[in-house]
Amino acid sequence: MGHAARGWRSALAAVSAVVLVGVLAAVSAWVRLGPVARGTVWAEDGGLFLREHLALGPVASLFHPYAGYLHLVPRLVVDLALLFPVADYALVVSATSCLLAGAVCAAVFVLARDVVPSWPLRLVLAVVPVALPTAPWEVSGNAANLHTFALFLAPWVLAHRSRTWWGAGALGVVTVLVLATEAQAVLFLPLLVLAWLPAPASASVPGPRGGRRFLALPVTVAAVAAATAQVVTAFTTPRASAPGHPAASDVVAGWLLQTVGGLWDADLGAVAGAVVDHGWWVLAVPSVLVVVVVLLGCGVALRTGRGRTAVVALALALGAAVVWTAALLANRSADGRWSQVAPAALLTATPSRYGAAAGMLLTAAVVVAAAVLVDRVVTPGGSGRRVAVRASRPGGAAHLVGAAVGWGVVAVLVTTWVVNAPGSAQRSTGPEWQPQFRDAVATCRADPTAVLDIRTQPWGAAVPCTLVLRDG
């Protein structure tokens, strides 16, 4: 009974920790937006998603393609928000989006356990989506950009080695939500191989005994089905966005400014100012250092028998580069011609949602690599015990140097997050949604067939009076 009680207490503590991570991450995302941004509807949330919900219904609109792919979770958020009074639509969408961002953070905290065993470092990894300096500008707190958070979650969902059938089933559902929301998540499908690999005999996880060898099946089936739906949608749905033809120099310059520069400062105008004053080397040097840390972490991981960690870190870094390049190739509007524009134009740079997506993945790769450098090598001991190799043994000095580098990288990241904590959002200037409904009931009672023109950022929303009168 004592052993069972301890087990229950341990499980309760673990669940409580995960919930706490999710709640704190959601609160952080909410606070960083600011009150005006939270009350302002963004882009498709008040445009296409709302319009198609009203035209097609809450079910038929779920898998209706837009811009060449599916957006399952954003459409579910709109469905949920319209269950509340329409005057509260902006706040409900913002709150739900922040809660989902927190859920992503909590999920990564759980799913990354095999790759980053140390919980403090795994916590740093988990909060990347809400802590990235450029996140509040466009991608945080709205349904239209929830696909960015789905992309961040994708590698962890696909690479995870499930322990139980209940967990595998739940992860299969999450996989559908992720891949039916973000088409670029298909880039990480090769990581499914890691989910099928058996756990090492020394690991404190169930081995591939009996039916456990098929625990990766639910996620695999879900991933293949959702990915197929996205690919078919992409090939059968025309895209309004004109494809881009960026020069290689623009891809590199944009990567340096938007992705690397956005890792430590949300004010990309100030970052661009440093480039104008001193040259591109002020971003090239940090970029090289980031690559060195990731490669060093991968090398140490391979040398110490942590191949899974090396693969994930490399996949995250390469994924960041591919996501950024693909965005410029697929969208002419995404190419800022950063290597060609005049300095005055460069100084007006603002965070790109594509840079934020790449920045999340790149930051995750850096944190995983830093965790490898910080963590001691774990080897099997007697009776299944796990024993840490002491730094005083051969190679101990190298470990101390690596640990110093790893902790230094983590300290720099956390410091930049704290400095950029308040955040800045495009929606911070409004127009707020709720005040525009002050006279809506009287207007709609006078003409129940009217359609209200509600301003959003940056477009507008057509709200039929039937919704207003439904609430009144």
Side-chain angles (χ1 to χ4, degrees):
M1 180 63 69
H3 179 74
R6 285 195 297 273
W8 277 107
R9 284 198 297 269
S10 177
L12 181 61
V15 172
S16 299
V18 173
V19 172
L20 183 61
V21 170
V23 170
L24 291 179
V27 170
S28 174
W30 176 264
V31 171
R32 292 191 71 196
L33 283 177
V36 176
R38 293 194 294 262
T40 301
V41 171
W42 173 252
E44 288 88 354
D45 296 357
L48 183 128
F49 292 154
L50 176 59
R51 185 168 64 249
E52 291 190 343
H53 170 99
L54 297 175
L56 302 174
V59 176
S61 62
L62 288 180
F63 292 96
H64 195 69
Y66 164 56
Y69 63 103
L70 304 175
H71 303 254
L72 178 57
V73 172
R75 292 186 183 277
L76 286 171
V77 171
V78 170
D79 289 353
L80 173 66
L82 287 174
L83 296 177
F84 293 83
V86 69
D88 298 329
Y89 181 78
L91 290 175
V92 175
V93 169
S94 295
T96 306
S97 299
C98 289
L99 286 172
L100 288 172
V104 166
C105 295
V108 171
F109 185 75
V110 173
L111 299 176
R113 181 172 57 177
D114 287 348
V115 174
V116 184
S118 171
W119 75 261
L121 293 170
R122 197 162 74 251
L123 177 62
V124 173
L125 170 68
V127 300
V128 166
V130 298
L132 186 77
T134 55
W137 180 254
E138 183 172 350
V139 303
S140 186
N142 61 80
N145 286 290
L146 282 173
H147 62 88
T148 301
F149 296 88
L151 182 63
F152 180 80
L153 181 57
W156 303 105
V157 168
L158 297 172
H160 182 68
R161 188 167 42 210
S162 297
R163 270 68 163 173
T164 67
W165 280 107
W166 284 106
L171 198 59
V173 174
V174 174
T175 302
V176 171
L177 294 174
V178 167
L179 272 87
T181 295
E182 173 52 76
Q184 292 183 102
V186 300
L187 296 171
F188 295 109
L189 284 179
L191 291 178
L192 281 169
V193 173
L194 298 180
W196 284 93
L197 292 178
S202 62
S204 56
V205 296
R209 297 189 301 273
R212 284 179 177 165
R213 72 183 63 184
F214 298 108
L215 283 173
L217 188 59
V219 170
T220 302
V221 171
V224 171
T228 300
Q230 285 284 21
V231 171
V232 170
T233 301
F235 279 104
T236 58
T237 305
R239 299 185 77 249
S241 299
H245 302 282
S249 58
D250 288 323
V251 174
V252 174
W255 167 269
L256 293 176
L257 178 62
Q258 290 284 345
T259 302
V260 178
L263 295 186
W264 75 75
D265 197 342
D267 185 359
L268 293 188
V271 176
V275 171
V276 171
D277 292 340
H278 306 289
W280 284 101
W281 71 267
V282 299
L283 292 175
V285 171
S287 183
V288 170
L289 292 177
V290 166
V291 172
V292 168
V293 169
V294 172
L295 293 179
L296 182 61
C298 289
V300 172
L302 290 173
R303 185 172 59 84
T304 55
R306 289 174 279 183
R308 169 182 291 269
T309 302
V311 170
V312 171
L314 192 59
L316 289 166
L318 291 177
V322 171
V323 164
W324 171 255
T325 305
L328 270 60
L329 291 173
N331 305 279
R332 184 180 301 171
S333 60
D335 184 8
R337 308 291 182 186
W338 295 277
S339 68
Q340 307 172 39
V341 299
L346 197 63
L347 294 174
T348 62
T350 56
S352 162
R353 61 182 180 273
Y354 306 110
M360 289 181 188
L361 295 173
L362 183 61
T363 305
V366 170
V367 175
V368 171
V372 170
L373 300 176
V374 167
D375 285 346
R376 294 177 183 273
V377 180
V378 177
T379 60
S383 303
R385 292 180 294 108
R386 291 158 69 83
V387 180
V389 176
R390 299 292 180 183
S392 58
R393 293 186 179 182
H399 169 76
L400 291 177
V401 172
V405 172
W407 282 120
V409 168
V410 172
V412 169
L413 279 176
V414 174
T415 300
T416 61
W417 294 347
V418 172
V419 171
N420 288 273
S424 177
Q426 281 184 278
R427 294 179 285 159
S428 60
T429 57
E432 291 184 80
W433 177 274
Q434 199 170 53
Q436 299 180 67
F437 284 84
R438 285 180 182 142
D439 301 321
V441 173
T443 301
C444 288
R445 282 177 178 167
D447 182 5
T449 63
V451 176
L452 303 178
D453 180 20
I454 305 298
R455 305 316 303 161
T456 67
Q457 179 68 264
W459 307 324
V463 179
C465 277
T466 51
L467 285 180
V468 176
L469 296 176
R470 177 203 66 179
D471 304 328

